Amino acid sequence: MTDPGDAPAGNATRSHARGLPRQRHTSGSAPSDYATSGYARSRSAPSRTGSRARPKVGAGRRARPVGRGRRILRTAAISLSVLVLATAGVGWWFYEHLNGNLHSVPLTDGSGDSAGKEKADAFGRTPINLLVVGSDGRTNASDCKLGGGCSQTGVQSGSNADVEMVMHISADRSNATVMSIPRDTVTTVPACKDTETGVSTNGYTGMVNSALQYGPACQVATVHRLTGIPIDHFVKLDFSGVVKMSDAVGGVSACVDKDVYDTYSHLKLAQGTHTLKGVAALEFVRSRHGFGDGSDLGRTYSQHIFLSSMIRKFKSAGTLTDPTAVYRLADAATKALTVDTGLGSIRKLIGLAADVDKVPANRITFTTMQTAPDPGDSNRLVPAATAQSLFATIANDQSLTNASGKKTAAASATAKAPASASTVPAAQIAVTVENGTTVTGRASAVATALLDKGFSSGTTTGNAAGTTSTTTLTYGSGHKAEAQTAAKALGLPSSHLKQSDATGTGLTLVIGTDWTSGTAYPAAPADTKTATADAHAETADQSKTCAKVSPYKTVSLDGVAMTPTQAYRAATGTKDSAP
């Protein structure tokens, strides 16, 4: 087998991947990345040390004293050096300041494999599963004021995870899924211990959000046990963190389909689109009585709308190019977050942000775990049977969207390998494997797998003429049986086989971007219709989606039960949360 390089399709060499921050500094030196952020821009200032022709002495003009010229040059050089050192110092201070803001704790409490382990694909890449936790803790005066409920108890010590989302970023960084877990879900909380406070539990059956009382590591272990999805990292955000973050980005756009007043979260908005800042943003993401059926399910839907809008803002041109805005955002984020030690540095957080930024908005799917009423308590939920399919789709690194951002079709006959594969021996079949993706090594890995299955040593690799979205196995006249044998070995659906117009040609497999990983063609996601059945699902590019205001009497005003819209119209003396 020959291998001419197996570079990305249509490329002879690889350049540095765009979007990944280059590491150009070592421990103890200022990170040079900040030279482009406005904090150290003078370090790249063009030189102005050109010379002018000196007039001849004796030509009616006095010669400039040499000593004075040297003093001027020396003064300029010293000034420039001071400026370079000053700006470099600002960059280093900024870097160290942000690192100092971060609070990090271990991902696990050390008791067994409580977070799970990711499996690398055939190219050594692994997915990332990030547990995002929104805490309801009133652990300081600021959160007491924002969240209320401290008038009798004062500042509290414990907290619950009222927002829980598993964010899955695929191994090839082409797609992402964000799955919300309703806080009212009843599950098994395993035995665990808070590594900071020492508070522990021997395990119990209760609401999934209560695990946070025993530390973030316990919440990670609970979600992993519930879903089977490995958890690589977590981030935790409190009430004041939401306020700081929304202010730092200049507000987040969100739409409501009707007038709404949630008398519990205090969200009050007129029908239409609003820019939510500060407390208004917190009221929106906390509102559970204003949307849907008034349960926690409706709140997860509105949170998806809010986060989708924030993602679109981050990705929009100009949002992250203003150094002052970047500083405000970075400072607010690092002060607001508690992260696991694996994310406990600015460099690592930047790397995670770069991975997320690679995924197009139309391939980031927000969905909610399917639930059913708890037979023992109608006010609680349990995972529905269909939730297992959603869990498996995420755990197996399968996308809920295709390359165009549309939902993938359900598994069907076209997703099955040909049933009528010929009995042509594999040893008699040579395949030319071409890489039609942007990932180096795809063709080599698949060709090696064919050789291991006994295919002819005449199997070769190469690069396709360009990137292609669909994998095809082309065969010449008289080679259909051979193509069927190869397709069966690869798990390739019959719909991907194509007869060439040329006569006498052999088999050519062009690997497309739909072949996301591994040495066998990936099966369609675990029946996407089943994976998202009865689950709210939408992609982050859907900018016209409005939060559905509850039509039920879920709120109360002056002791009278009302719909959120009725409450809005009745509360004429209450100011709207946002104009």
Side-chain angles (χ1 to χ4, degrees), residues 31 84 88 234 274 462 525:
V84 168
F234 75 80
H274 307 270

Side-chain angles (χ1 to χ4, degrees), residues 152-348:
Q152 301 296 325
T153 63
V155 175
Q156 302 165 22
S157 58
S159 59
N160 294 310
D162 274 6
V163 176
E164 290 183 80
M165 297 180 180
V166 176
M167 182 174 190
H168 170 80
I169 308 168
S170 67
D172 65 358
R173 308 300 188 253
S174 69
N175 64 88
T177 299
V178 181
M179 179 186 70
S180 288
I181 301 175
R183 72 159 195 175
D184 296 335
T185 303
V186 174
T187 189
T188 299
V189 177
C192 46
K193 181 178 181 178
D194 190 329
T195 56
E196 289 194 307
T197 66
V199 177
S200 63
T201 175
N202 292 324
Y204 60 93
T205 298
M207 287 173 58
V208 66
N209 70 333
S210 66
L212 189 60
Q213 296 177 18
Y214 305 97
C218 192
Q219 194 67 60
V220 166
T222 301
V223 170
H224 173 58
R225 179 164 183 161
L226 170 66
T227 65
I229 299 170
I231 304 298
D232 308 294
H233 300 289
F234 75 80
V235 297
K236 181 169 74 76
L237 194 68
D238 57 15
F239 291 152
S240 57
V242 175
V243 172
K244 292 174 184 176
M245 290 284 287
S246 61
D247 280 344
V249 299
V252 177
S253 177
C255 171
V256 293
D257 71 338
K258 295 178 183 177
D259 296 339
V260 57
Y261 181 29
D262 181 346
T263 56
Y264 298 95
S265 77
H266 307 296
L267 176 72
K268 188 169 187 278
L269 295 173
Q271 177 183 359
T273 302
H274 307 270
T275 298
L276 304 179
K277 298 181 179 180
V279 175
L282 178 64
E283 292 171 349
F284 187 86
V285 298
R286 288 192 69 204
S287 177
R288 64 175 287 163
H289 297 88
F291 303 114
D293 60 0
S295 73
D296 200 50
L297 293 174
R299 174 161 61 180
T300 66
Y301 306 161
S302 58
Q303 287 168 352
H304 295 168
I305 290 172
F306 183 89
L307 290 175
S308 294
S309 179
M310 181 174 283
I311 287 172
R312 290 193 301 272
K313 186 160 190 177
F314 282 153
K315 287 179 174 290
S316 65
T319 300
L320 298 180
T321 58
D322 177 4
T324 303
V326 169
Y327 173 78
R328 285 199 306 266
L329 177 59
D331 195 43
T334 51
K335 285 179 178 177
L337 298 177
T338 295
V339 300
D340 68 281
T341 50
L343 287 178
S345 73
I346 296 303
R347 179 181 62 81
K348 292 174 181 177

Side-chain angles (χ1 to χ4, degrees), residues 60-78:
R61 303 175 67 176
R62 287 182 4 181
R64 174 178 292 176
V66 175
R68 183 186 175 197
R70 288 176 177 170
R71 286 196 300 272
I72 291 173
L73 290 175
R74 184 167 59 250
T75 301
I78 292 172

